[in-house]
Amino acid sequence: MPQTPPLTGMFGSSGYNKNFFQTEEEEYGGLYYHDSNLASGSLEALIQHLVPTVAYYPDRTYIFTFLLSSRLFIHPYELMSKVCHLCMDHQRLSDPQADKVRVRKIAPKILQLLTEWTETFPYDFRDERVMRSLKELTHRLSTGDELYRKTAQQMTQALIRKLTALGQYEEALAKISSTVTDRLTVLKNKPQSIQRDVLTVCSDPFTLAQQLTHIELERLSYIGPEEFVQAFLQKDHLDNEKTCFSNHKKASNLEAYVEWFNRLSYLVASEICICMICGDPAKKKHRARVIEFFIDVARECFNIGNFNSLMAIISGMNMSPVSRLKKTWGKVKTAKFDILEHQMDPSSNFYNYRTALRGATQRSITAHSSREKIVIPFFSLFIKDIYFLNEGCANRLPNGHVNFEKFWELAKQVSEFMTWKKVECPFERDRKILQYLLTAPVFTDDGKQPCAHRGPASPSPARLQSSTYSR
């Protein structure tokens, strides 16, 4: 049977080859190939293709692609159950008299498949049903062989560490949200308590851009690849009556990251307009300096490759309370800001930004230092691109088969994201600045707590209404 292409062939920097499927179709056990590349198949045949045998192990790109997109049609716990059934029954692992030589040949391959699953999609195993099937299969494989027992134990321990880290991250987010809520309550009762602004915490735009990059990379690192599918999953396309993933968080880390973008945008607007909240006329002269400071921060974010913070800052500066400060903007040197806006211009489907992103990606591939490897995409646009790919994946072919060509396209985009999120931030952490960025009170233009914070909206002591400010 033809094999799926190697990793470099499928997800290389040159992009997905849209001319893959030009030759006559061939069928192998329910899987259809064009030019020796997997094009489509029934769900059952694709599951069978995932499971190793003594003579076969699936290509890594196939494993990633199928585990990513199969959840459009089958729950992870159902898929794990089917994989276990195929391993146990078809390979006769449940037979006490099974050929030990055969077991020794197949066990390492099954353990390798499970290892790839737990390493790449660990959040699937927050579902106790998935974890139960995993324990059952690894127990069967490790019975009577110390080497396999140790391998299974190491895999399980690594999985538990990842899930523990996720739990701690979620607790940290909840603590941050609680701190913000408390500070807003204090501010509501004592508006005069606003004494600091961003320049009193950090007056160096390079340092602030670096701390923003810390936050971005940390939040990116906790987003599971499956969230890009589950975020848009409405109903099972096999059964319109069955709602998928309704009983647990589908994409909470992805949502938290979007909320961070919203918070940063409102933080920028709040910092510029904060002097009106304080009622200190002397601070009006301070606005132009704050605007220029954020322009410099945004430019440094662009240089780093942090496009998400860059766009959040631009969004904040374009909010009505800020954009209508004509007298203030008249004192600002806007040439640098105009260049940044041009780079993020939405016309022609963000052509300028996409060109810059390709340049940053290429720099990352050939990088010799961690700083050069940083690529943080403008996340809302990335999500939009993924959404349309998901739409194509969810549509079956006329014969009822899964369109694996669309799976490949989605997997290429998500695998690129997986590379970006693994980059370690090379900059030194400044806890004071990070604390301020994450917990300083911010306000929306209607005077309420923005959607960047979970929970009910809280009234503010002042409203950032555009009518309040004149230039």
Side-chain angles (χ1 to χ4, degrees):
M1 180 183 294
Q3 296 296 298
T4 50
L7 187 65
T8 53
M10 283 308 306
F11 304 133
S13 59
S14 59
Y16 175 76
N17 182 359
K18 297 186 182 299
N19 298 318
F20 259 176
F21 309 117
Q22 299 297 322
T23 61
E24 184 177 355
E25 188 175 82
E26 299 175 282
E27 180 183 2
Y28 295 84
L31 300 178
Y32 287 82
Y33 290 79
H34 284 163
D35 198 17
S36 297
N37 294 288
L38 182 57
S40 68
S42 67
L43 185 60
E44 290 300 323
L46 292 169
I47 295 173
Q48 179 74 58
H49 196 53
L50 178 69
V51 179
T53 66
V54 171
Y56 162 78
Y57 188 81
D59 187 90
R60 287 190 65 206
T61 55
Y62 177 79
I63 295 172
F64 176 77
T65 302
F66 184 69
L67 290 179
L68 174 68
S69 299
S70 62
R71 63 197 69 232
L72 286 166
F73 305 102
I74 183 172
H75 293 276
Y77 79 87
E78 293 174 313
L79 177 60
M80 175 60 83
S81 178
K82 287 180 178 290
V83 168
C84 288
H85 171 75
L86 289 170
C87 290
M88 299 285 285
D89 290 0
H90 290 201
Q91 302 303 324
R92 300 193 298 277
L93 295 178
S94 57
D95 183 359
Q97 305 302 320
D99 182 356
K100 290 186 178 181
V101 175
R102 180 183 178 84
V103 172
R104 289 194 183 99
K105 289 181 179 180
I106 189 62
K109 293 183 178 182
I110 296 175
L111 286 171
Q112 179 60 29
L113 174 66
L114 297 176
T115 298
E116 294 199 38
W117 192 338
T118 57
E119 287 180 349
T120 311
F121 299 93
Y123 302 165
D124 284 348
F125 297 85
R126 296 187 96 181
D127 187 332
E128 183 56 37
R129 295 167 293 186
V130 183
M131 185 65 86
R132 190 184 308 120
S133 294
L134 175 69
K135 291 178 179 178
E136 179 183 348
L137 183 53
T138 53
H139 175 73
R140 180 68 63 177
L141 291 172
S142 58
T143 300
D145 195 306
E146 181 66 15
L147 176 62
Y148 302 150
R149 188 189 67 79
K150 287 185 177 180
T151 301
Q153 186 179 49
Q154 291 171 353
M155 175 188 68
T156 303
Q157 289 173 345
L159 173 61
I160 291 173
R161 285 195 297 270
K162 287 189 176 184
L163 296 180
T164 301
L166 173 62
Q168 292 171 344
Y169 169 69
E170 290 174 341
E171 289 176 3
L173 288 183
K175 185 176 180 180
I176 289 171
S177 179
S178 176
T179 301
V180 171
T181 301
D182 291 344
R183 291 190 177 185
L184 282 169
T185 301
V186 171
L187 196 57
K188 175 185 175 182
N189 298 324
K190 298 180 180 180
Q192 68 276 15
S193 63
I194 299 180
Q195 297 176 348
R196 296 194 304 171
D197 62 16
V198 68
L199 290 181
T200 64
V201 178
C202 177
S203 60
D204 179 14
F206 297 95
T207 300
L208 191 70
Q210 292 171 1
Q211 299 310 303
L212 288 172
T213 303
H214 263 295
I215 296 172
E216 298 278 356
L217 287 175
E218 180 183 46
R219 300 210 171 192
L220 277 181
S221 70
Y222 283 98
I223 298 175
E226 73 283 351
E227 295 190 44
F228 293 106
V229 175
Q230 293 170 187
F232 305 112
L233 199 53
Q234 298 295 325
K235 289 186 176 181
D236 189 311
H237 292 268
L238 279 174
D239 180 1
N240 290 331
E241 298 295 321
K242 183 167 63 174
T243 302
C244 287
F245 304 102
S246 59
N247 59 345
H248 67 276
K249 297 177 183 178
K250 295 189 300 181
S252 59
N253 302 302
L254 189 150
E255 292 166 0
Y257 189 53
V258 172
E259 289 169 357
W260 155 248
F261 178 94
N262 295 336
R263 172 180 169 78
L264 180 56
S265 295
Y266 283 110
L267 176 64
V268 170
S270 298
E271 289 290 335
I272 294 170
C273 301
I274 201 80
C275 59
M276 293 304 296
I277 298 177
C278 294
D280 183 358
K283 280 201 172 184
K284 294 179 181 179
K285 299 177 182 179
H286 193 58
R287 282 200 211 128
R289 184 185 170 198
V290 174
I291 290 175
E292 290 182 340
F293 173 75
F294 277 119
I295 292 173
D296 288 337
V297 173
R299 185 173 63 168
E300 182 58 18
C301 286
F302 178 84
N303 293 335
I304 289 173
N306 181 357
F307 298 104
N308 200 57
S309 288
L310 164 63
M311 193 61 177
I313 293 171
I314 292 176
S315 297
M317 297 178 77
N318 279 317
M319 288 181 180
S320 294
V322 179
S323 64
R324 295 188 182 185
L325 297 171
K326 295 181 179 179
K327 292 181 181 179
T328 301
W329 280 100
K331 300 176 182 179
V332 174
K333 297 177 182 179
T334 60
K336 291 183 288 187
F337 187 63
D338 293 339
I339 293 173
L340 292 173
E341 283 199 306
H342 177 72
Q343 288 289 346
M344 306 303 287
D345 186 350
S347 62
S348 301
N349 193 20
F350 287 88
Y351 176 80
N352 294 337
Y353 157 70
R354 293 183 188 276
T355 300
L357 180 64
R358 285 195 297 271
T361 301
Q362 188 60 40
R363 178 188 68 183
S364 177
I365 293 171
T366 59
H368 298 292
S369 67
S370 296
R371 175 164 183 158
E372 294 175 323
K373 291 181 180 180
I374 296 173
V375 181
I376 302 173
F378 170 32
F379 203 63
S380 294
L381 185 60
F382 185 76
I383 290 293
K384 179 183 175 182
D385 293 341
I386 293 291
Y387 170 78
F388 287 112
L389 287 175
N390 268 294
E391 287 291 293
C393 288
N395 297 325
R396 287 176 178 266
L397 298 173
N399 63 357
H401 279 196
V402 172
N403 187 346
F404 216 83
E405 179 183 3
K406 293 297 183 181
F407 276 23
W408 290 130
E409 293 177 358
L410 177 61
K412 180 191 178 299
Q413 288 274 24
V414 176
S415 68
E416 195 168 42
F417 167 82
M418 295 288 285
T419 300
W420 296 335
K421 80 167 196 167
K422 291 178 181 177
V423 174
E424 293 286 339
C425 190
F427 309 120
E428 184 177 350
R429 294 174 64 91
D430 188 310
R431 298 181 65 86
K432 181 178 71 172
I433 298 174
L434 291 172
Q435 182 77 358
Y436 187 85
L437 291 171
L438 292 169
T439 64
V442 298
F443 307 100
T444 63
D445 55 4
D446 64 356
K448 294 181 179 180
Q449 184 181 352
C451 58
H453 311 298
R454 295 175 181 167
S458 301
S460 71
R463 299 170 60 126
L464 297 183
Q465 294 178 328
S466 57
S467 59
T468 306
Y469 307 106
S470 61
R471 295 186 184 181

